């Protein structure tokens, strides 16, 4: 079993749609959680951290459920520019700060 | 502020050949990471340096891969000899310290024929 698992995708949605991505992690000792965005043939970039209380950044909302070991990302009012692969990322509790990446979910927003 | 620099951007080699990648992290960043990203997968950590010391190399195939970070700044990753399954993007990242945000370079796309 992979340590971080994501919806396989791809997600094809029209502009303006709301779309949600889910992710589960297996290591209950994981301490920090993130969503990274990776455009086609580009490097991953931090989109947002995920906090237990849930957090929002504009059209993006991230949620964490530690009991279920579940992370989500909600994108409202999708834009063409949101088309990318979204990577769910977990940091180990070890003192190395090691990040474990999910395989990513591809989003294609169509006009 | 300059980002993480990597070279070359693309490399095509035949199996059993050797190849080396170079990374220059963001100035002042103590922690440097090398990741391998195979098509359709997320990045996988190969090796992590703290200054010029290795912190984690548990997933580095040490029979063929090696890496160094002399003087705690630039780093090189070498594959010798390459196999077909080494075809991937090799990403370098750096962070101010171990649990700070990691910034990625553009990557080196390696194709082994």
């Amino acid at each position: 079993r992979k340590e971080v698992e994501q919806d396989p995708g791809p997600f094809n949605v029209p502009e303006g749609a709301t779309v949600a991505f889910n992710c589960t992690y297996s290591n209950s000792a994981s301490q920090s959680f993130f969503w990274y965005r990776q455009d086609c043939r580009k490097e991953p970039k931090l989109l947002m951290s995920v906090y237990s209380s849930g957090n929002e950044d504009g059209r993006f909302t991230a949620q964490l459920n530690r009991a279920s070991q579940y992370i989500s990302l909600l994108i409202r009012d999708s834009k063409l520019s949101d088309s990318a692969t979204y990577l769910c990322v977990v940091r180990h509790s070890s003192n190395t700060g090691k990040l474990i990446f999910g395989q990513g979910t591809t989003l294609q927003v169509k006009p | 502020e300059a980002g993480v620099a990597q070279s070359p951007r693309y490399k095509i080699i035949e199996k059993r050949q050797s190849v080396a990648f170079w990374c220059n992290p963001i100035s002042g960043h103590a922690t440097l990471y090398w990741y391998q990203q195979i098509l359709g997968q997320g990045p996988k950590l190969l090796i992590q340096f703290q200054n010029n010391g290795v912190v984690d190399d548990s997933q580095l195939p040490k029979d063929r891969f090696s890496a160094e970070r002399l003087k705690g700044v630039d780093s090189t990753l070498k594959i010798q000899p390459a196999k077909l399954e080494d075809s991937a993007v090799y990403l370098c990242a750096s962070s101010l310290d171990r649990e700070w945000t990691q910034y990625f370079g553009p990557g080196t796309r390696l194709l082994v024929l």
Side-chain angles (χ1 to χ4, degrees):
Chain A
R1 183 188 172 189
K2 293 179 182 176
E3 196 163 341
V4 179
E5 297 206 61
Q6 296 186 239
D7 283 354
F11 284 65
N12 295 297
V13 302
E15 269 187 294
T18 294
V19 61
F21 304 138
N22 305 314
C23 167
T24 57
Y25 60 96
S26 60
N27 188 336
S28 59
S30 300
Q31 60 177 195
S32 304
F33 310 89
F34 311 91
W35 284 100
Y36 273 69
R37 170 187 169 135
Q38 186 170 26
D39 291 309
C40 187
R41 301 180 73 83
K42 298 286 188 180
E43 70 272 21
K45 292 183 180 178
L46 178 65
L47 177 66
M48 59 196 302
S49 300
V50 187
Y51 304 114
S52 296
S53 55
N55 50 297
E56 191 173 302
D57 183 2
R59 297 180 294 107
F60 298 81
T61 300
Q63 298 275 358
L64 168 64
N65 184 323
R66 285 187 183 269
S68 302
Q69 295 180 198
Y70 172 94
I71 306 162
S72 66
L73 177 68
L74 183 76
I75 305 176
R76 292 182 300 278
D77 189 21
S78 299
K79 311 291 185 191
L80 296 176
S81 57
D82 294 333
S83 297
T85 295
Y86 291 83
L87 298 160
C88 178
V89 186
V90 169
R91 172 171 281 139
H92 269 189
S93 57
S94 67
N95 65 358
T96 66
K98 179 177 181 177
L99 295 181
I100 307 296
F101 286 78
Q103 72 176 80
T105 300
T106 299
L107 172 66
Q108 185 68 45
V109 182
K110 298 191 180 296
Chain B
E1 179 182 272
V4 177
Q6 290 189 246
S7 68
R9 294 295 308 278
Y10 305 91
K11 191 75 179 178
I12 301 174
I13 61 172
E14 294 186 350
K15 60 184 179 183
R16 292 187 289 274
Q17 285 188 322
S18 302
V19 64
F21 312 129
W22 173 82
C23 173
N24 182 231
I26 293 172
S27 178
H29 280 197
T31 315
L32 185 147
Y33 315 79
W34 282 102
Y35 289 87
Q36 179 192 58
Q37 186 172 22
I38 292 172
L39 189 65
Q41 298 182 21
K44 181 184 82 171
L45 180 69
L46 293 176
I47 189 167
Q48 176 180 341
F49 292 94
Q50 184 70 15
N51 296 306
N52 60 351
V54 176
V55 173
D56 185 337
D57 63 357
S58 57
Q59 296 193 89
L60 186 74
K62 298 180 186 64
D63 58 334
R64 298 184 301 106
F65 286 65
S66 65
E68 60 182 11
R69 191 185 184 197
L70 300 176
K71 302 180 182 178
V73 182
D74 293 6
S75 177
T76 55
L77 175 69
K78 296 178 182 178
I79 308 175
Q80 180 179 12
K83 292 186 175 181
L84 296 177
E85 59 260 35
D86 298 333
S87 295
V89 178
Y90 291 84
L91 294 160
C92 179
S94 71
S95 61
L96 202 57
D97 208 329
R98 295 182 188 191
E99 295 195 8
W100 290 67
T101 299
Q102 294 185 24
Y103 296 90
F104 285 80
T108 296
R109 295 184 177 276
L110 173 67
L111 179 60
V112 182
L113 301 175

